[in-house]
Amino acid sequence: MSSAALSDLATSSRNDFLDDVLAGLSQSQKSLSPKYFYDEAGSDLFEAICLTPEYYPTRTETALLAHVAPALSAWVQSGCVLVEFGSGASDKTRLLLDAMPQITTYMPIDISAGALEPAVDRIKDAYPGVTVVPVEADFTQPIATLDLATYPAVLGFFPGSTIGNFTPAEAAAFLKAARAMLGPKALFLVGADLVKDPAILVAAYDDAAGVTAAFNLNVLKRINTELGGDFDLAQFAHRARWNASDARMEMHLESLRDQIVHVGHHAFAFRKGETIHTENSHKFTVKGFGALALASGWTLVEQWLAPDDAFAAFLLERF
Ligand SMILES: C[S@@+](CC[C@H](N)C(=O)[O-])C[C@H]1O[C@@H](n2cnc3c(N)ncnc32)[C@H](O)[C@@H]1O
């Protein structure tokens, strides 16, 4: 990409960020999209969350995928392209590449250049026989550069329970868009966290060392540095709540006093105790996920569950 095109891309992402922040902070329940957590610092903090003792999803899904990958190999034809949504550090990818030499091309898609670039270098070094085609993009938007028509087989991969960040309607819209993007030959492996004891969930999103709190507050730091905001980070506190009626963990940033915050020329009033809703992490049941897939043009053809039904890997096929 030329430097002019890169600069246009940076300007349009900044404008999208600004528009989304102004719209989100203007709602009666203030909110920010979780996709804005992930600048370079946010991606590093996410990797640090994965290492906390409370955050079970990463180690549980990684152990599960070690079993899934050899079983999945029987489904995957040679010359396959692996397309990963929200690839982050691409650590789980290695389990698939190790078990399936028939994957000859890897396309990681991530919104965070800070995560994508080092991950791509590591995969290229470790798998010299695999062609790596990085895509820095927002996977909730159409991706014009994704051309999969020439590949004999396509395997989509969406680990990390990132699908849980969507509302049910957004998840269905994403699965439909992924179906169109991945094309007629696609299989899609999706990792999803399952409903469980709320005490385990709340601890996972509010670790004792405060790494998740720093991750949550990082979005305010980004607004300050990239959009000319004046959030005082000491006046907002991380909160993690289980919302039983919507079967989701929620992360919020709670204002610790009445205050006015500016983003550029725009002013936003906060009452003490008012929150900005920054993330949902929906938890699924096997039945509920199957219904979501079906409503989105996919059949659930195989499922693998971690011990104690802590996490699931779902294999979807287009119909
Ligand atoms: C929860 S992390 C999961 C990372 C990794 N796949 C894993 O399983 O550990 C979510 C990843 O998705 C990326 N991401 C979040 N929203 C995105 C979006 N709208 N478009 C592209 N990437 C996104 C983030 O940058 C981050 O790397």
Side-chain angles (χ1 to χ4, degrees):
M1 200 180 277
S2 71
S3 58
L6 276 174
S7 142
D8 286 351
L9 190 66
T11 308
S12 79
S13 341
R14 184 189 176 279
N15 290 344
D16 289 348
F17 185 23
L18 179 62
D19 290 350
D20 287 352
V21 166
L22 297 181
L25 296 182
S26 303
Q27 293 166 341
S28 54
Q29 168 60 70
K30 294 178 171 65
S31 72
L32 294 169
S33 166
K35 70 184 176 189
Y36 295 119
F37 285 137
Y38 297 97
D39 63 350
E40 194 170 344
S43 295
D44 288 348
L45 283 165
F46 177 74
E47 293 310 314
I49 289 171
C50 294
L51 300 177
T52 62
E54 296 92 339
Y55 196 75
Y56 65 86
T58 302
R59 58 177 183 274
T60 307
E61 186 181 31
T62 302
L64 180 63
L65 286 173
H67 292 285
V68 169
L72 184 60
S73 182
W75 292 78
V76 174
Q77 292 172 31
S78 65
C80 179
V81 55
L82 175 66
V83 181
E84 181 170 353
F85 296 88
S87 44
S90 292
D91 286 337
K92 293 166 190 163
T93 319
R94 290 165 173 256
L95 296 164
L96 302 192
L97 295 178
D98 288 342
M100 289 179 270
Q102 61 271 47
I103 296 173
T104 49
T105 305
Y106 173 49
M107 285 189 192
I109 304 171
D110 208 288
I111 201 165
S112 167
L116 193 59
E117 284 161 13
V120 163
D121 288 345
R122 288 193 298 269
I123 293 289
K124 280 184 177 167
D125 282 351
Y127 301 90
V130 175
T131 304
V132 183
V133 185
V135 182
E136 186 189 331
D138 180 346
F139 55 54
T140 62
Q141 306 297 320
I143 304 175
T145 51
L146 212 63
D147 182 7
L148 305 175
T150 56
Y151 296 94
V154 176
L155 176 62
F157 183 37
F158 194 26
S161 204
T162 308
I163 193 162
N165 292 154
F166 295 130
T167 63
E170 289 166 345
F174 170 80
L175 286 173
K176 283 181 196 160
R179 183 179 184 277
M181 245 187 270
L182 295 173
K185 292 160 263 186
L187 289 167
F188 198 10
L189 182 68
V190 182
D193 198 9
L194 300 180
V195 171
K196 56 181 60 64
D197 179 353
I200 296 173
L201 291 169
V202 171
Y205 291 81
D206 194 10
D207 62 281
V211 186
T212 314
F215 175 73
N216 199 3
L217 284 160
N218 183 57
V219 73
L220 302 187
K221 221 186 237 182
R222 276 197 77 183
I223 294 172
N224 286 352
T225 50
E226 296 178 38
L227 303 179
D230 62 1
F231 279 98
D232 178 352
L233 270 57
Q235 294 305 329
F236 286 85
H238 168 68
R239 302 282 181 243
R241 302 176 185 158
W242 171 241
N243 175 336
S245 54
D246 292 320
R248 69 190 191 202
M249 279 302 303
E250 294 181 359
M251 295 206 312
H252 292 254
L253 289 166
E254 182 181 324
S255 177
L256 296 178
R257 63 173 187 204
D258 290 345
Q259 55 185 319
I260 307 277
V261 175
H262 299 90
V263 179
H265 303 302
H266 303 264
F268 298 95
F270 286 81
R271 283 171 283 104
K272 184 176 180 201
E274 183 179 1
T275 70
I276 311 174
H277 185 178
T278 51
E279 187 181 80
N280 289 320
S281 187
H282 290 83
K283 306 302 168 187
F284 296 90
T285 60
V286 172
K287 196 171 159 208
F289 195 90
L292 170 67
L294 203 60
S296 315
W298 297 94
T299 310
L300 176 55
V301 288
E302 189 64 90
Q303 73 215 22
W304 295 270
L305 300 183
D308 301 325
D309 292 355
F311 204 94
F314 294 113
L315 184 63
L316 311 181
E317 190 172 43
R318 274 179 59 131
F319 64 80

